[in-house]
Amino acid sequence: MDISGQVAIVTGGASGLGAATARKLASLGAKVGILDFDADRGSAMAAEIGGHAVKTDVSSEDSVAAAIASVKDTLGAPRIAVNCAGVGLAARVVGREGKLSTDVFDKTIKVNLYGTYNVMSYAMREMAALDPLDTGERGVVINTASVAFQDGQVGQAAYAASKGAIAAMTLPVAREMAKLGVRIMTIAPGLFNTPMMESLPEETVQGIVANIPFPHRLGNPEEYGLLVSQIIANPYLNGETIRLDAATRLPQR
């Protein structure tokens, strides 16, 4: 799909991987809707790239429905949707003194998994109503998992479960939407230089980098945005999860 002139939705588009994706798509001529819980940063990003921002709680179906309707009214119906919104909460299943983490599990699933499903569902409904392009495509949805879906570390049970579910639903959703010409792909990023990483002590970051084979560094968010653009451009990519991780395999801890 030629990105130029298309309407794209990016959740979590105010920072990190989402911001890099929003900038990349805008640089290629897309009209970008920023769906982010941080209204101020979302508005700043929209002003930077000439897009449209909507404060959105992706875990709320009503919030997602209103946000996509706002993007449609302002920019047009989306042909591209990229889900980058998520949380990275960590907790042991059974912690000290028998403390449970069911609250962490509940929030993580609601934001990461339900949030992805909500946005994907409403975006695909809009795409299905569009006329097909010359390639037969009506739209592309790109979801974000994590290498933790295969290499989950201690304390990542909730996070790994949410990201594993995102990866697992990629193929069945792609099969369902095939007759309508809507492609579904998932990216599983490794260790990237996002705001979460920037908040860690330098010694901790260097310890993390030590586990990355090549390139021997944290990933740049722009490299995630580049892969998003490549997936959109290549019409034969569908129903698969791509690890973007410099050959990283996470250790136990």
Side-chain angles (χ1 to χ4, degrees):
M1 180 187 295
D2 184 357
I3 294 171
S4 180
Q6 305 298 349
V7 176
I9 289 171
V10 181
T11 71
S15 63
L17 302 181
T21 298
R23 290 189 180 103
K24 180 64 175 181
L25 296 179
S27 74
L28 295 172
K31 296 175 284 187
V32 183
I34 307 294
L35 277 56
D36 202 286
F37 192 72
D38 190 327
D40 292 339
R41 295 184 71 172
S43 295
M45 176 57 62
E48 175 189 329
I49 65 173
H52 174 65
V54 189
K55 178 180 172 63
T56 311
D57 175 2
V58 295
S59 68
S60 164
E61 184 177 347
D62 289 343
S63 181
V64 168
I68 291 184
S70 177
V71 171
K72 182 179 178 181
D73 290 343
T74 305
L75 303 177
R79 284 196 189 272
I80 299 165
V82 186
N83 275 302
C84 294
V87 294
L89 306 176
R92 292 175 180 262
V93 177
V94 181
R96 293 180 180 177
E97 300 178 355
K99 178 178 172 53
L100 302 183
S101 59
T102 52
D103 57 333
V104 172
F105 190 89
D106 185 59
K107 181 173 181 178
T108 302
I109 294 296
K110 282 181 177 177
V111 175
N112 292 358
L113 179 55
Y114 278 69
T116 295
Y117 193 86
N118 287 337
V119 174
M120 179 175 65
S121 299
Y122 279 87
M124 290 192 311
R125 185 167 68 178
E126 295 295 338
M127 294 172 188
L130 295 171
D131 292 332
L133 301 172
D134 293 342
T135 59
E137 295 175 278
R138 284 188 168 89
V140 182
V141 176
I142 300 172
N143 295 326
T144 303
S146 163
V147 294
F149 93 97
Q150 292 178 319
D151 307 341
Q153 297 177 294
V154 171
Q156 287 189 324
Y159 184 71
S162 69
K163 296 302 187 177
I166 290 170
M169 70 182 177
T170 304
L171 181 58
V173 176
R175 285 171 164 170
E176 175 185 339
M177 299 304 293
K179 63 183 181 296
L180 296 173
V182 177
R183 295 188 287 123
I184 314 294
M185 289 287 293
T186 296
I187 300 173
L191 303 166
F192 274 70
N193 190 23
T194 60
M196 182 176 66
M197 283 290 185
E198 292 170 358
S199 67
L200 297 176
E202 179 62 25
E203 181 179 347
T204 302
V205 173
Q206 290 306 312
I208 292 170
V209 170
N211 292 313
I212 304 175
F214 183 80
H216 190 57
R217 58 170 173 79
L218 294 173
N220 295 318
E222 291 75 16
E223 291 166 324
Y224 179 95
L226 175 61
L227 181 54
V228 166
S229 68
Q230 292 167 333
I231 289 172
I232 296 168
N234 190 330
Y236 211 62
L237 284 172
N238 194 15
E240 185 57 273
T241 297
I242 300 174
R243 288 182 64 125
L244 184 65
D245 62 8
T248 300
R249 295 298 181 268
L250 300 180
Q252 179 178 336
R253 301 177 190 273

